[in-house]
Amino acid sequence: MGDRLDAIQIDEAQLALIDLEDPLLGLPLLDEGTIVALVLMIGAPKVSELLQLLLDEGASCCRRLHDIDDPVDIKALAHGLKGAAGNMGARALMAAARVLERDAFDRLRRPYLVDLVARVYDRTALAGRLRLAALAEEATPVGA
């Protein structure tokens, strides 16, 4: 998994991004309390795996949302993204996906909401990559 981190260098300013609120929704990109609780319950390696899965699946979902026009399919994709985001504490992404799921049949709002989900995903992905790097660093023994 280390190669997926693209050799991200982390400093305190970047780590602060993890706790930032999404500017559009006013919700955390990644809720640190959720991440810490998951690490305590299932361990950092599994949390890293699940977070990477959210990032991979989220990117795929955003591409598919732009490619389809069927509101039933859009609603289903938004529902899945909402659940995955919620499980990992990606609260802003969960909220954006919830609104898209709710309004998938609204032809006027749907394009805006698909774009909103994609924009929130992009910021969540940045925070997620930074958090992945921090988890990898936390798991590395001192002096290794």
Side-chain angles (χ1 to χ4, degrees), residues 18-102:
I18 295 170
D19 289 327
L20 283 180
E21 292 183 347
D22 180 85
L24 295 173
L25 301 175
L27 294 169
L29 294 171
L30 280 179
D31 179 56
E32 185 63 13
T34 300
I35 298 295
V36 169
L38 287 169
V39 167
L40 292 173
M41 287 189 292
I42 62 176
K46 188 65 176 174
V47 172
S48 294
E49 180 183 325
L50 293 173
L51 186 53
Q52 185 63 57
L53 183 61
L54 171 64
L55 299 181
D56 294 344
E57 291 298 316
S60 174
C61 182
C62 287
R63 282 191 302 275
R64 287 183 283 158
L65 283 170
H66 279 288
D67 292 341
I68 60 176
D69 194 42
D70 180 7
V72 172
D73 291 341
I74 290 171
K75 185 176 180 121
L77 282 172
H79 178 78
L81 184 58
K82 177 185 74 173
N87 288 339
M88 294 307 298
R91 293 181 48 209
L93 184 57
M94 180 182 74
R98 181 185 316 126
V99 174
L100 177 58
E101 179 187 20
R102 182 192 69 203

Side-chain angles (χ1 to χ4, degrees), residues 65-136:
L65 283 170
H66 279 288
D67 292 341
I68 60 176
D69 194 42
D70 180 7
V72 172
D73 291 341
I74 290 171
K75 185 176 180 121
L77 282 172
H79 178 78
L81 184 58
K82 177 185 74 173
N87 288 339
M88 294 307 298
R91 293 181 48 209
L93 184 57
M94 180 182 74
R98 181 185 316 126
V99 174
L100 177 58
E101 179 187 20
R102 182 192 69 203
D103 294 344
F105 287 87
D106 185 333
R107 293 188 63 77
L108 295 176
R109 288 177 46 92
R110 187 170 60 226
Y112 165 76
L113 294 173
V114 167
D115 286 341
L116 174 67
V117 167
R119 288 193 312 267
V120 173
Y121 168 77
D122 287 343
R123 286 188 294 279
T124 301
L126 172 60
R129 286 190 298 274
L130 293 169
R131 192 62 179 101
L132 280 170
L135 284 167

